[in-house]
Amino acid sequence: MRPDPVLDASMARAIALAHEAAADDDVPVGAVVVTREGVVLGEGRNRREADGDPTAHAEVLALREAARVRGTWRLDDVTLVVSLEPCTMCAGAIVLARVPRVVFGAWDPKAGAAGSVRDVLRDARLNHRVEVIGGVREAECGAVLREFFEARRDSG
């Protein structure tokens, strides 16, 4: 993939949001919904612990904000940039929002639904398929997660 300043800036923001989630004791995942021109329509970070909400994943919160900004649920001309491969719930929301492209950092070998464990985003049986670009700034995104979980293991 050619360097893309919009995607690079969006991934940098997603990583910063992941750090914010970790500071609140949530799994460090950040997400940004961005237009081709670089306009951020929505962003989110995991807030399950902060909100006591099992659906408060970074991707879902970013999609909700983007839909609110746009005034429609249909987000068919944006890119979702996220620091971790989306889970099945988030992949379903991405498909339902008609997001055409997802760019993510670290692969999730336990719960990923964008090509590792499942491939919901490109499932031909669904009414919408998503272009998936994984492994962007993978080492950096993975390090944020590793550090978070290592700190939990060391303190427990």
Side-chain angles (χ1 to χ4, degrees):
M1 186 171 103
R2 281 188 9 235
D4 181 326
V6 168
L7 294 182
D8 189 57
S10 299
M11 184 59 81
R13 180 63 184 146
I15 292 167
L17 289 162
H19 283 290
E20 289 178 23
D24 282 343
D25 213 28
D26 266 293
V27 174
V29 179
V32 178
V33 176
V34 64
T35 67
R36 270 183 231 117
E37 299 77 30
V39 177
V40 174
L41 299 176
E43 57 181 39
R45 60 183 177 87
N46 274 3
R47 295 190 50 88
R48 290 182 310 168
E49 298 298 331
D51 295 352
D53 179 355
T55 68
H57 287 207
E59 301 94 321
V60 170
L61 298 175
L63 291 171
R64 284 179 185 161
E65 184 178 336
R68 192 170 39 253
V69 166
R70 276 278 171 90
T72 180
W73 60 268
R74 191 179 274 281
L75 301 173
D76 54 8
D77 61 346
V78 302
T79 297
L80 175 68
V81 179
V82 60
S83 60
L84 178 66
E85 178 184 4
C87 71
T88 301
M89 176 184 71
C90 293
I94 292 162
V95 169
L96 291 173
R98 306 301 193 270
V99 172
R101 181 167 69 159
V102 169
V103 175
F104 67 85
W107 293 89
D108 185 347
K110 293 183 179 179
S116 61
V117 177
R118 290 171 196 78
D119 201 352
V120 173
L121 296 180
R122 294 177 286 200
D123 190 325
R125 296 169 292 185
L126 299 177
N127 63 335
H128 176 71
R129 278 165 293 296
V130 179
E131 176 188 2
V132 174
I133 302 168
V136 175
R137 294 175 71 168
E138 182 175 8
E140 189 176 355
C141 292
V144 175
L145 289 156
R146 258 188 321 284
E147 291 165 11
F148 176 81
F149 287 112
E150 285 171 3
R152 299 304 158 288
R153 281 191 294 278
D154 292 345
S155 67

